[in-house]
Structures are given as C-alpha cells and as structure tokens.
Amino acid sequence: MNQKTERLRQKYLDNPPQGMTSEDIRRMSEDALLDMDYFLNEDDLLEDEAGVEGFYIF
C-alpha cells in the first residue's frame, strides 16, 4: 500500500468516524478508505467558494 494511504488509515484508526470502529477501518480496502476520507472532507473542497449558494448556468 501507498505510504499516504497508510498514514490516512492510521489517522482513522486513532480516531474512527462516528458509527465505525478501528476494526472496520483496519478491514477497509484502500479504495474504500480513500472514498470515506473524500466524503468526510467534502465540505473542505468548496472552501474557496464561501458564501456562494445555488445553481448557476453561465
């Protein structure tokens, strides 16, 4: 496994998301772990668009 993925796994093993256990994290595939991290941090991806709401067509 990739070194970054292992650091991410260790992060979630130390502090599992609500509703999960360390054992759940330990058994996750690399892809599932990356997907979980993406969705848990999805709000951070739009940080530069603070205050912008709605749907716009240009």
Side-chain angles (χ1 to χ4, degrees):
M1 260 189 230
N2 170 330
Q3 207 173 26
K4 289 181 181 180
T5 307
E6 282 305 313
R7 279 186 268 160
L8 192 61
R9 185 179 305 277
Q10 190 59 48
K11 171 186 167 184
Y12 289 117
L13 283 171
D14 294 341
N15 187 17
Q18 185 176 357
M20 298 190 84
T21 65
S22 295
E23 188 63 30
D24 295 333
I25 302 299
R26 194 172 289 112
R27 292 180 180 189
M28 289 178 93
S29 70
E30 187 174 346
D31 288 339
L33 182 66
L34 293 170
D35 287 346
M36 179 185 74
D37 182 63
Y38 175 82
F39 288 110
L40 288 174
N41 296 300
E42 187 175 21
D43 291 338
D44 296 341
L45 299 175
L46 302 176
E47 216 172 75
D48 60 339
E49 298 179 16
V52 177
E53 294 182 19
F55 179 77
Y56 301 95
I57 298 176
F58 295 98

